[in-house]
Amino acid sequence: MMATAAATHQPVPEVLPRHVAIIMDGNGRWAARRHLPRAAGHRAGVEAVRTVTRAARAMGLEALTLYAFSSENWRRPEDEVSGLMGLLKFFIRHDLAELVRENVRLRVIGDYRRFPADVVALVEDAVERTAANTGPILAIALNYGAQAELVAAAQRLAARAAAGGMDPAAIDVDAVERELETRELPPLDLLIRTSGEQRLSNFLLWQAAYAELLFVETLWPDFGAADLAAAVDAFGRRQRRYGGL
Ligand code: FPP
Protein backbone atom coordinates (compact mmCIF):
# COMPACT_ATOMS: atom_id res chain seq x y z
CA MET A 1 0.00 0.00 0.00
CA MET A 2 1.18 3.55 -0.65
CA ALA A 3 2.00 5.35 2.59
CA THR A 4 1.11 8.82 1.30
CA ALA A 5 -0.75 10.02 4.36
CA ALA A 6 1.91 8.68 6.68
CA ALA A 7 4.66 10.90 5.25
CA THR A 8 4.83 13.19 8.25
CA HIS A 9 4.41 10.38 10.79
CA GLN A 10 7.54 8.42 9.98
CA PRO A 11 10.06 8.48 12.83
CA VAL A 12 13.05 10.57 11.79
CA PRO A 13 16.23 8.44 11.92
CA GLU A 14 19.25 9.72 13.84
CA VAL A 15 21.77 9.52 10.99
CA LEU A 16 20.34 11.26 7.97
CA PRO A 17 21.91 11.12 4.54
CA ARG A 18 22.25 14.66 3.21
CA HIS A 19 21.70 13.73 -0.42
CA VAL A 20 19.69 10.76 -1.70
CA ALA A 21 19.40 9.82 -5.37
CA ILE A 22 16.91 7.36 -6.82
CA ILE A 23 16.83 5.35 -10.04
CA MET A 24 13.07 5.01 -10.35
CA ASP A 25 12.75 1.66 -12.09
CA GLY A 26 9.89 -0.78 -12.59
CA ASN A 27 7.00 1.32 -13.89
CA GLY A 28 6.57 -0.95 -16.91
CA ARG A 29 6.53 -4.15 -14.84
CA TRP A 30 4.10 -2.59 -12.36
CA ALA A 31 1.72 -1.92 -15.26
CA ALA A 32 2.26 -5.32 -16.89
CA ARG A 33 1.33 -7.10 -13.66
CA ARG A 34 -1.98 -5.29 -13.76
CA HIS A 35 -2.50 -5.87 -17.50
CA LEU A 36 -2.30 -2.10 -17.98
CA PRO A 37 -0.41 -0.15 -20.66
CA ARG A 38 3.11 1.00 -19.75
CA ALA A 39 1.82 4.60 -19.68
CA ALA A 40 -0.32 3.70 -16.66
CA GLY A 41 2.84 2.58 -14.88
CA HIS A 42 4.53 5.91 -15.58
CA ARG A 43 1.45 7.77 -14.34
CA ALA A 44 1.57 5.77 -11.11
CA GLY A 45 5.30 6.58 -11.05
CA VAL A 46 4.51 10.28 -10.92
CA GLU A 47 2.30 9.66 -7.87
CA ALA A 48 5.28 7.97 -6.24
CA VAL A 49 7.46 10.98 -7.14
CA ARG A 50 4.99 13.20 -5.32
CA THR A 51 4.80 10.94 -2.28
CA VAL A 52 8.54 10.45 -1.99
CA THR A 53 9.47 14.12 -2.49
CA ARG A 54 7.04 15.03 0.29
CA ALA A 55 8.46 12.32 2.54
CA ALA A 56 12.03 13.45 1.83
CA ARG A 57 11.08 16.98 2.87
CA ALA A 58 9.30 15.81 6.01
CA MET A 59 12.40 13.82 6.95
CA GLY A 60 14.72 16.79 6.47
CA LEU A 61 16.87 15.55 3.59
CA GLU A 62 18.87 18.37 2.02
CA ALA A 63 18.74 17.05 -1.52
CA LEU A 64 16.87 14.44 -3.53
CA THR A 65 17.91 13.63 -7.09
CA LEU A 66 15.52 11.61 -9.28
CA TYR A 67 16.46 9.89 -12.55
CA ALA A 68 13.41 10.78 -14.66
CA PHE A 69 14.87 10.43 -18.18
CA SER A 70 18.24 9.03 -19.14
CA SER A 71 20.14 9.89 -22.30
CA GLU A 72 19.40 6.28 -23.37
CA ASN A 73 15.64 6.60 -22.93
CA TRP A 74 15.31 8.14 -26.43
CA ARG A 75 15.54 4.55 -27.68
CA ARG A 76 12.05 3.83 -26.36
CA PRO A 77 9.04 3.98 -28.70
CA GLU A 78 8.12 7.53 -29.69
CA ASP A 79 4.75 7.45 -27.92
CA GLU A 80 6.39 6.37 -24.65
CA VAL A 81 8.96 9.18 -24.92
CA SER A 82 6.26 11.78 -25.58
CA GLY A 83 4.17 10.26 -22.76
CA LEU A 84 7.07 10.80 -20.34
CA MET A 85 7.43 14.41 -21.52
CA GLY A 86 3.70 14.86 -20.95
CA LEU A 87 4.00 13.52 -17.41
CA LEU A 88 6.89 15.85 -16.68
CA LYS A 89 4.75 18.78 -17.81
CA PHE A 90 1.84 17.46 -15.73
CA PHE A 91 4.09 17.19 -12.66
CA ILE A 92 5.45 20.73 -13.04
CA ARG A 93 2.02 22.24 -13.68
CA HIS A 94 0.44 20.48 -10.71
CA ASP A 95 3.24 20.57 -8.17
CA LEU A 96 5.18 23.76 -8.81
CA ALA A 97 2.98 25.85 -6.48
CA GLU A 98 3.62 23.34 -3.69
CA LEU A 99 7.38 23.36 -4.33
CA VAL A 100 7.44 27.17 -4.25
CA ARG A 101 5.36 27.26 -1.05
CA GLU A 102 7.48 24.59 0.64
CA ASN A 103 10.71 26.51 -0.06
CA VAL A 104 12.06 23.75 -2.35
CA ARG A 105 14.75 24.64 -4.90
CA LEU A 106 14.05 22.80 -8.14
CA ARG A 107 17.14 21.96 -10.20
CA VAL A 108 17.68 20.02 -13.39
CA ILE A 109 20.73 17.99 -14.31
CA GLY A 110 21.28 16.68 -17.81
CA ASP A 111 20.99 18.04 -21.32
CA TYR A 112 17.29 18.96 -20.98
CA ARG A 113 17.59 21.54 -23.79
CA ARG A 114 17.26 18.66 -26.25
CA PHE A 115 13.63 18.27 -25.14
CA PRO A 116 10.75 19.88 -27.08
CA ALA A 117 10.69 23.69 -26.79
CA ASP A 118 7.53 23.80 -24.66
CA VAL A 119 9.06 21.39 -22.13
CA VAL A 120 12.31 23.39 -22.02
CA ALA A 121 10.37 26.61 -21.40
CA LEU A 122 8.25 25.04 -18.67
CA VAL A 123 11.29 23.51 -16.94
CA GLU A 124 13.27 26.77 -17.06
CA ASP A 125 10.33 28.76 -15.73
CA ALA A 126 9.89 26.27 -12.87
CA VAL A 127 13.58 26.37 -11.94
CA GLU A 128 13.50 30.17 -12.06
CA ARG A 129 10.43 30.38 -9.83
CA THR A 130 12.11 28.35 -7.10
CA ALA A 131 15.55 29.93 -7.51
CA ALA A 132 15.14 32.31 -4.57
CA ASN A 133 14.04 29.52 -2.23
CA THR A 134 16.45 28.44 0.49
CA GLY A 135 15.18 24.98 1.47
CA PRO A 136 15.78 21.44 0.22
CA ILE A 137 16.86 20.76 -3.36
CA LEU A 138 14.81 18.58 -5.69
CA ALA A 139 17.03 17.76 -8.66
CA ILE A 140 15.45 16.05 -11.63
CA ALA A 141 17.74 14.28 -14.09
CA LEU A 142 16.46 14.89 -17.63
CA ASN A 143 18.34 13.51 -20.60
CA TYR A 144 21.13 12.88 -18.13
CA GLY A 145 24.09 10.56 -18.64
CA ALA A 146 27.08 10.48 -16.30
CA GLN A 147 29.63 9.73 -19.01
CA ALA A 148 28.47 12.76 -21.05
CA GLU A 149 28.63 14.87 -17.88
CA LEU A 150 32.25 13.78 -17.30
CA VAL A 151 33.21 14.27 -20.94
CA ALA A 152 31.83 17.82 -20.85
CA ALA A 153 33.75 18.51 -17.63
CA ALA A 154 36.97 17.15 -19.19
CA GLN A 155 36.48 19.27 -22.30
CA ARG A 156 36.01 22.47 -20.30
CA LEU A 157 39.08 21.79 -18.17
CA ALA A 158 41.16 20.87 -21.23
CA ALA A 159 40.05 24.01 -23.05
CA ARG A 160 41.02 26.14 -20.07
CA ALA A 161 44.41 24.43 -19.83
CA ALA A 162 45.03 24.74 -23.58
CA ALA A 163 44.23 28.45 -23.41
CA GLY A 164 46.86 28.83 -20.71
CA GLY A 165 44.31 29.59 -18.00
CA MET A 166 45.08 26.51 -15.95
CA ASP A 167 48.04 24.26 -15.23
CA PRO A 168 47.05 20.67 -16.20
CA ALA A 169 48.69 19.50 -12.97
CA ALA A 170 46.16 21.62 -11.06
CA ILE A 171 43.28 19.49 -12.35
CA ASP A 172 42.37 17.55 -9.23
CA VAL A 173 39.24 16.00 -7.70
CA ASP A 174 37.90 19.38 -6.57
CA ALA A 175 38.50 20.90 -10.01
CA VAL A 176 36.50 18.13 -11.65
CA GLU A 177 33.72 18.39 -9.07
CA ARG A 178 33.38 22.09 -9.75
CA GLU A 179 32.56 21.20 -13.37
CA LEU A 180 29.87 18.63 -12.56
CA GLU A 181 26.19 19.41 -12.80
CA THR A 182 25.82 18.49 -9.14
CA ARG A 183 28.32 21.14 -8.01
CA GLU A 184 25.72 22.94 -5.89
CA LEU A 185 24.39 19.79 -4.26
CA PRO A 186 25.71 18.17 -1.08
CA PRO A 187 27.83 15.02 -1.56
CA LEU A 188 25.78 11.97 -2.57
CA ASP A 189 25.29 9.73 0.47
CA LEU A 190 22.74 7.16 -0.65
CA LEU A 191 21.80 5.86 -4.09
CA ILE A 192 18.67 3.72 -4.32
CA ARG A 193 17.49 1.68 -7.30
CA THR A 194 14.05 0.11 -7.24
CA SER A 195 12.70 -3.02 -8.96
CA GLY A 196 15.53 -5.44 -8.21
CA GLU A 197 17.94 -4.39 -10.98
CA GLN A 198 21.50 -3.96 -9.72
CA ARG A 199 23.08 -1.49 -12.13
CA LEU A 200 23.94 2.20 -12.07
CA SER A 201 22.89 2.71 -15.71
CA ASN A 202 25.12 5.72 -16.28
CA PHE A 203 23.64 7.65 -13.31
CA LEU A 204 25.89 9.83 -11.09
CA LEU A 205 28.96 7.62 -11.65
CA TRP A 206 31.47 10.08 -10.20
CA GLN A 207 29.17 11.15 -7.37
CA ALA A 208 28.54 7.52 -6.35
CA ALA A 209 32.22 6.99 -5.51
CA TYR A 210 31.54 6.81 -1.76
CA ALA A 211 27.76 6.63 -1.71
CA GLU A 212 25.98 3.72 -0.08
CA LEU A 213 24.15 1.70 -2.73
CA LEU A 214 20.77 0.19 -1.98
CA PHE A 215 18.91 -2.06 -4.38
CA VAL A 216 15.33 -2.81 -3.38
CA GLU A 217 12.83 -5.19 -4.95
CA THR A 218 9.89 -2.77 -4.73
CA LEU A 219 8.69 -1.46 -8.08
CA TRP A 220 8.85 2.34 -8.29
CA PRO A 221 5.07 2.99 -8.27
CA ASP A 222 4.84 1.01 -5.02
CA PHE A 223 7.73 2.88 -3.37
CA GLY A 224 6.34 5.14 -0.66
CA ALA A 225 7.23 7.10 2.45
CA ALA A 226 7.77 3.94 4.50
CA ASP A 227 10.19 2.58 1.88
CA LEU A 228 12.19 5.81 1.91
CA ALA A 229 12.28 5.72 5.70
CA ALA A 230 13.49 2.10 5.59
CA ALA A 231 16.21 3.01 3.08
CA VAL A 232 17.38 5.93 5.22
CA ASP A 233 17.33 3.69 8.25
CA ALA A 234 19.48 1.10 6.44
CA PHE A 235 21.89 3.90 5.53
CA GLY A 236 22.15 4.88 9.20
CA ARG A 237 23.08 1.31 10.14
CA ARG A 238 25.91 1.04 7.62
CA GLN A 239 29.43 2.06 8.54
CA ARG A 240 31.06 4.30 6.01
CA ARG A 241 34.81 3.99 5.97
CA TYR A 242 35.88 6.02 2.92
CA GLY A 243 38.76 3.59 2.35
CA GLY A 244 39.90 3.68 5.97
CA LEU A 245 39.33 1.06 8.68
C1 FPP B 1 11.64 3.21 -15.31
O1 FPP B 1 10.61 2.27 -15.43
C2 FPP B 1 11.14 4.56 -15.29
C3 FPP B 1 11.40 5.51 -16.22
C4 FPP B 1 12.22 5.28 -17.40
C5 FPP B 1 10.85 6.85 -16.12
C6 FPP B 1 10.69 7.43 -14.75
C7 FPP B 1 9.70 8.52 -14.87
C8 FPP B 1 8.72 8.79 -14.00
C9 FPP B 1 8.54 8.11 -12.71
C10 FPP B 1 7.69 9.82 -14.33
C11 FPP B 1 8.17 11.19 -14.69
C12 FPP B 1 9.04 11.83 -13.68
C13 FPP B 1 8.82 13.02 -13.05
C14 FPP B 1 9.90 13.59 -12.19
C15 FPP B 1 7.57 13.76 -13.16
P1 FPP B 1 10.62 1.30 -16.68
O2 FPP B 1 9.64 1.83 -17.67
O3 FPP B 1 12.00 1.13 -17.19
O4 FPP B 1 10.09 -0.01 -16.01
P2 FPP B 1 10.37 -1.50 -16.49
O5 FPP B 1 11.85 -1.72 -16.33
O6 FPP B 1 9.55 -2.30 -15.52
O7 FPP B 1 9.88 -1.60 -17.89
Side-chain angles (χ1 to χ4, degrees):
M1 210 179 81
M2 299 245 282
T4 319
T8 48
H9 303 299
Q10 300 292 333
V12 175
E14 278 171 36
V15 187
L16 269 186
R18 295 180 65 194
H19 179 186
V20 176
I22 308 181
I23 302 176
M24 309 182 286
D25 198 5
N27 295 347
R29 276 161 286 166
W30 183 93
R33 282 181 198 175
R34 287 164 179 74
H35 308 288
L36 294 169
R38 292 178 57 79
H42 293 316
R43 275 199 298 278
V46 175
E47 282 306 313
V49 166
R50 195 169 276 148
T51 306
V52 169
T53 52
R54 283 179 184 154
R57 262 190 336 258
M59 233 178 237
L61 303 188
E62 287 176 52
L64 178 69
T65 301
L66 301 176
Y67 207 3
F69 195 91
S70 81
S71 44
E72 286 76 36
N73 284 152
W74 296 107
R75 293 188 201 136
R76 296 190 177 207
E78 214 172 296
D79 64 330
E80 182 163 343
V81 170
S82 63
L84 286 168
M85 305 281 162
L87 284 173
L88 178 65
K89 290 198 275 187
F90 168 84
F91 174 72
I92 292 178
R93 290 201 179 109
H94 281 76
D95 290 55
L96 182 59
E98 177 177 328
L99 299 179
V100 172
R101 193 174 63 239
E102 295 292 324
N103 200 23
V104 173
R105 288 175 284 170
L106 183 68
R107 293 277 195 282
V108 173
I109 62 170
D111 192 8
Y112 71 95
R113 289 185 186 85
R114 297 261 319 277
F115 280 12
D118 60 329
V119 180
V120 173
L122 196 69
V123 165
E124 289 183 344
D125 176 66
V127 169
E128 179 58 35
R129 282 190 207 207
T130 64
N133 283 353
T134 54
I137 295 178
L138 172 61
I140 302 189
L142 297 174
N143 194 21
Y144 173 86
Q147 291 177 336
E149 175 189 37
L150 287 165
V151 167
Q155 286 180 349
R156 282 193 296 272
L157 291 167
R160 216 172 295 152
M166 183 175 204
D167 177 359
I171 300 175
D172 56 9
V173 168
D174 287 343
V176 173
E177 282 187 339
R178 280 194 297 273
E179 298 299 326
L180 299 180
E181 302 204 47
T182 48
R183 58 189 160 268
E184 288 170 15
L185 275 67
L188 181 62
D189 289 319
L190 173 63
L191 175 59
I192 303 168
R193 182 172 190 147
T194 60
S195 90
E197 308 288 343
Q198 304 197 357
R199 288 188 297 278
L200 294 184
S201 297
N202 204 14
F203 189 47
L204 302 177
L205 297 182
W206 173 287
Q207 296 84 346
Y210 290 104
E212 292 293 328
L213 307 181
L214 190 67
F215 300 100
V216 298
E217 294 294 325
T218 314
L219 303 176
W220 175 248
D222 291 326
F223 195 91
D227 300 281
L228 182 68
V232 164
D233 196 50
F235 170 84
R237 281 183 274 109
R238 290 191 188 179
Q239 269 191 9
R240 301 175 82 197
R241 293 197 291 271
Y242 299 97
L245 287 177

